[in-house]
mmCIF file of all heavy atoms in Angstrom:
data_model
loop_
_atom_site.group_PDB
_atom_site.id
_atom_site.type_symbol
_atom_site.label_atom_id
_atom_site.label_comp_id
_atom_site.label_asym_id
_atom_site.label_seq_id
_atom_site.Cartn_x
_atom_site.Cartn_y
_atom_site.Cartn_z
ATOM 1 N N PRO A 807 125.642 215.244 49.942
ATOM 2 C CA PRO A 807 124.285 214.684 49.948
ATOM 3 C C PRO A 807 124.248 213.199 50.260
ATOM 4 O O PRO A 807 123.302 212.708 50.864
ATOM 5 C CB PRO A 807 123.811 214.966 48.516
ATOM 6 C CG PRO A 807 124.539 216.200 48.117
ATOM 7 C CD PRO A 807 125.890 216.060 48.751
ATOM 8 N N ALA A 808 125.293 212.455 49.851
ATOM 9 C CA ALA A 808 125.299 211.022 50.120
ATOM 10 C C ALA A 808 125.373 210.746 51.617
ATOM 11 O O ALA A 808 124.765 209.817 52.127
ATOM 12 C CB ALA A 808 126.468 210.360 49.403
ATOM 13 N N VAL A 809 126.145 211.569 52.339
ATOM 14 C CA VAL A 809 126.258 211.396 53.779
ATOM 15 C C VAL A 809 124.925 211.689 54.451
ATOM 16 O O VAL A 809 124.468 210.945 55.326
ATOM 17 C CB VAL A 809 127.361 212.310 54.357
ATOM 18 C CG1 VAL A 809 127.426 212.175 55.857
ATOM 19 C CG2 VAL A 809 128.698 211.967 53.722
ATOM 20 N N TYR A 810 124.278 212.780 54.051
ATOM 21 C CA TYR A 810 122.973 213.094 54.612
ATOM 22 C C TYR A 810 121.975 211.979 54.338
ATOM 23 O O TYR A 810 121.167 211.618 55.193
ATOM 24 C CB TYR A 810 122.442 214.411 54.031
ATOM 25 C CG TYR A 810 123.302 215.612 54.358
ATOM 26 C CD1 TYR A 810 123.620 216.550 53.382
ATOM 27 C CD2 TYR A 810 123.824 215.794 55.635
ATOM 28 C CE1 TYR A 810 124.414 217.636 53.670
ATOM 29 C CE2 TYR A 810 124.619 216.884 55.930
ATOM 30 C CZ TYR A 810 124.919 217.810 54.945
ATOM 31 O OH TYR A 810 125.707 218.887 55.218
ATOM 32 N N ALA A 811 122.038 211.411 53.144
ATOM 33 C CA ALA A 811 121.138 210.318 52.801
ATOM 34 C C ALA A 811 121.392 209.113 53.686
ATOM 35 O O ALA A 811 120.465 208.447 54.143
ATOM 36 C CB ALA A 811 121.292 209.942 51.334
ATOM 37 N N ALA A 812 122.654 208.834 53.950
ATOM 38 C CA ALA A 812 122.995 207.706 54.801
ATOM 39 C C ALA A 812 122.437 207.878 56.201
ATOM 40 O O ALA A 812 121.911 206.948 56.803
ATOM 41 C CB ALA A 812 124.515 207.542 54.866
ATOM 42 N N LYS A 813 122.525 209.077 56.730
ATOM 43 C CA LYS A 813 122.015 209.333 58.067
ATOM 44 C C LYS A 813 120.494 209.252 58.103
ATOM 45 O O LYS A 813 119.902 208.850 59.100
ATOM 46 C CB LYS A 813 122.493 210.706 58.540
ATOM 47 C CG LYS A 813 124.007 210.757 58.775
ATOM 48 C CD LYS A 813 124.439 212.138 59.231
ATOM 49 C CE LYS A 813 125.941 212.153 59.535
ATOM 50 N NZ LYS A 813 126.423 213.472 59.944
ATOM 51 N N THR A 814 119.859 209.593 56.999
ATOM 52 C CA THR A 814 118.405 209.581 56.937
ATOM 53 C C THR A 814 117.847 208.167 56.921
ATOM 54 O O THR A 814 116.888 207.857 57.617
ATOM 55 C CB THR A 814 117.908 210.339 55.687
ATOM 56 O OG1 THR A 814 118.364 211.692 55.769
ATOM 57 C CG2 THR A 814 116.386 210.313 55.599
ATOM 58 N N VAL A 815 118.442 207.284 56.093
ATOM 59 C CA VAL A 815 117.873 205.943 55.936
ATOM 60 C C VAL A 815 118.366 204.954 56.972
ATOM 61 O O VAL A 815 117.916 203.815 57.000
ATOM 62 C CB VAL A 815 118.168 205.377 54.535
ATOM 63 C CG1 VAL A 815 117.603 206.274 53.466
ATOM 64 C CG2 VAL A 815 119.661 205.189 54.326
ATOM 65 N N GLY A 816 119.251 205.363 57.869
ATOM 66 C CA GLY A 816 119.678 204.466 58.929
ATOM 67 C C GLY A 816 120.734 203.492 58.463
ATOM 68 O O GLY A 816 121.753 203.901 57.911
ATOM 69 N N PRO A 817 120.497 202.182 58.670
ATOM 70 C CA PRO A 817 121.551 201.202 58.387
ATOM 71 C C PRO A 817 121.707 200.870 56.927
ATOM 72 O O PRO A 817 121.770 199.715 56.534
ATOM 73 C CB PRO A 817 121.068 199.973 59.182
ATOM 74 C CG PRO A 817 119.592 200.095 59.165
ATOM 75 C CD PRO A 817 119.316 201.564 59.276
ATOM 76 N N ALA A 818 121.734 201.873 56.087
ATOM 77 C CA ALA A 818 122.001 201.652 54.669
ATOM 78 C C ALA A 818 123.438 201.991 54.380
ATOM 79 O O ALA A 818 124.053 202.770 55.086
ATOM 80 C CB ALA A 818 121.091 202.533 53.830
ATOM 81 N N VAL A 819 123.975 201.419 53.343
ATOM 82 C CA VAL A 819 125.298 201.799 52.869
ATOM 83 C C VAL A 819 125.080 202.662 51.639
ATOM 84 O O VAL A 819 124.487 202.217 50.674
ATOM 85 C CB VAL A 819 126.138 200.567 52.505
ATOM 86 C CG1 VAL A 819 127.524 200.987 52.081
ATOM 87 C CG2 VAL A 819 126.226 199.634 53.697
#
Side-chain angles (χ1 to χ4, degrees):
V809 177
Y810 297 135
K813 292 179 177 178
T814 300
V815 301
V819 183

